[in-house]
Amino acid sequence: MSQSAERTTADIALAVAARRGAGSVTLAGAGTEFLFYEAAGGLVREGYRIPRSSEFNTANNRGVSAKTLQRQEMALARWASDNSIPSAAAIDVMMQDGFPVLVLEVIDDDGSDLDCTALGSGIASMHRLPVPGLPLVAQAGRPWDARLVERLEERYTRLRIRHSLPSLPPSATLQATLERNSSKPCLTHMDLRRQNVRVHNGQPLAIFDWSNALAAPPELEIARISEYSVIRENGIDYTAFLNGYSKGGGSIDVGSPSWPIYTLDTAVMLAGVFDTVAPDPEVREHFLSRARALVRDL
């Protein structure tokens, strides 16, 4: 986070707090695309999710407006709350100095380890719900299988410029495999990790950051969690998650011919992240090796 970006977003947070009768403002969290401030005292206690720029051109969001992502976050947070999925209340999106600011309920986090059995049970419940009827940014207006193949090829091509990787099967082959061997789509969060869950005594109180959400088979979500669990900082116990998912009524087919494609989607994404966005040679090499092995399985 640059000092100039921090000053700009801090000024925006202070201005929003003043407009809403809130008190002192503190930086409570920072990600690649958004910063989160808490305002306490005055008439209210609330949080402000503020974008680093008005339009993103990151690995996940190319040419996507911050306002579009903020409105999606508000809509899905409200959908989650309405369906008893852990979520903070989304209050409003308001413009301040040309930046869309999402105003949210503040839910305290006690820093405890996430109970992944409880998370798995909650996600199983979410996967049984009808997909909400709103366009999802990460879907880019495409059927889920076409979008998955498209982004996999884009990311894999960028990786092959810098690293030795085998060729992918033709896109038509990948899409045919997905079409023939996939479950019914549901809403998937696609970024479930400790950093995106507010926790108290281990229990998940709120899931946030819906930027990567897709209407896709549940196996795609579970494959992502499987790969995420390798990274210690993500705080995911995959075995416990699967146990909770099963107890919550969830069912997946990890033996499907589509499973290596689902898993490859995440391995390639993470190899790219740890190659250029947050360089870590050891973790990058792990996911490059995973990508090579999964391509061989296709």
Side-chain angles (χ1 to χ4, degrees):
M1 175 174 56
S2 70
Q3 290 183 345
S4 60
E6 184 176 354
R7 283 198 301 271
T8 300
T9 53
D11 290 342
I12 292 170
L14 287 167
V16 171
R19 288 172 60 184
R20 294 183 55 81
S24 60
V25 171
T26 57
L27 179 65
T32 303
E33 297 171 336
F34 293 93
L35 296 96
F36 189 78
Y37 290 84
E38 291 184 10
L43 301 178
V44 296
R45 181 182 182 226
E46 57 192 18
Y48 308 134
R49 184 181 191 241
I50 303 176
R52 292 181 181 271
S53 61
S54 58
E55 181 177 288
F56 297 122
N57 282 286
T58 61
N60 283 335
N61 294 300
R62 296 186 179 276
V64 175
S65 75
K67 188 173 183 179
T68 299
L69 283 178
Q70 294 282 58
R71 291 199 176 279
Q72 173 174 288
E73 187 74 17
M74 180 169 69
L76 289 179
R78 289 177 173 175
W79 175 86
S81 292
D82 290 345
N83 287 283
S84 301
I85 306 302
S87 180
I91 299 167
D92 195 11
V93 173
M94 56 189 298
M95 297 300 296
Q96 179 66 48
D97 299 328
F99 284 74
V101 178
L102 177 60
V103 182
L104 292 160
E105 170 193 15
V106 172
I107 294 182
D108 292 321
D109 188 306
D110 65 3
S112 59
D113 291 340
L114 173 61
D115 182 339
C116 289
T117 301
L119 180 65
S121 181
I123 296 304
S125 297
M126 185 181 86
H127 284 173
R128 291 197 301 272
L129 295 169
V131 177
L134 69 152
L136 299 171
V137 174
Q139 203 113 12
R142 306 286 304 282
W144 73 267
D145 49 354
R147 178 60 181 141
L148 187 65
V149 171
E150 176 185 61
R151 77 179 187 186
L152 175 58
E153 290 182 330
E154 289 174 353
R155 292 168 174 172
Y156 198 77
T157 297
R158 289 198 296 271
L159 274 178
R160 288 192 81 199
I161 294 172
R162 295 167 56 88
H163 304 282
S164 175
L165 293 167
S167 298
L168 282 175
S171 57
T173 301
L174 293 171
Q175 190 157 342
T177 299
L178 294 173
E179 289 174 351
R180 290 194 299 263
N181 304 280
S182 293
S183 306
K184 180 181 177 181
C186 60
L187 181 70
T188 61
H189 181 279
M190 296 302 292
D191 200 14
L192 290 169
R193 49 199 173 98
R194 179 62 177 85
Q195 298 92 325
N196 288 338
V197 185
R198 302 295 281 178
V199 175
H200 183 73
N201 287 336
Q203 296 303 299
L205 300 183
I207 297 167
F208 58 94
D209 196 351
W210 295 87
S211 296
N212 297 302
L214 290 172
E219 285 85 357
L220 184 64
E221 180 112 272
I222 307 306
R224 176 148 296 195
I225 293 168
S226 172
E227 297 301 300
Y228 271 17
S229 68
V230 174
I231 303 170
R232 184 185 300 273
E233 292 79 8
N234 286 343
I236 296 293
D237 181 330
Y238 181 57
T239 300
F241 181 91
L242 282 184
N243 184 47
Y245 192 82
S246 177
K247 287 182 177 179
S251 177
I252 57 168
D253 181 7
V254 298
S256 163
S258 292
W259 182 259
I261 303 176
Y262 299 145
T263 310
L264 183 62
D265 173 64
T266 296
V268 168
M269 181 272 289
L270 291 173
V273 166
F274 291 105
D275 186 34
T276 58
V277 178
D280 186 320
E282 183 177 352
V283 180
R284 177 198 66 205
E285 289 305 317
H286 168 82
F287 287 110
L288 286 173
S289 294
R290 284 287 291 148
R292 294 184 186 105
L294 290 163
V295 170
R296 288 195 295 269
D297 289 342
L298 296 177

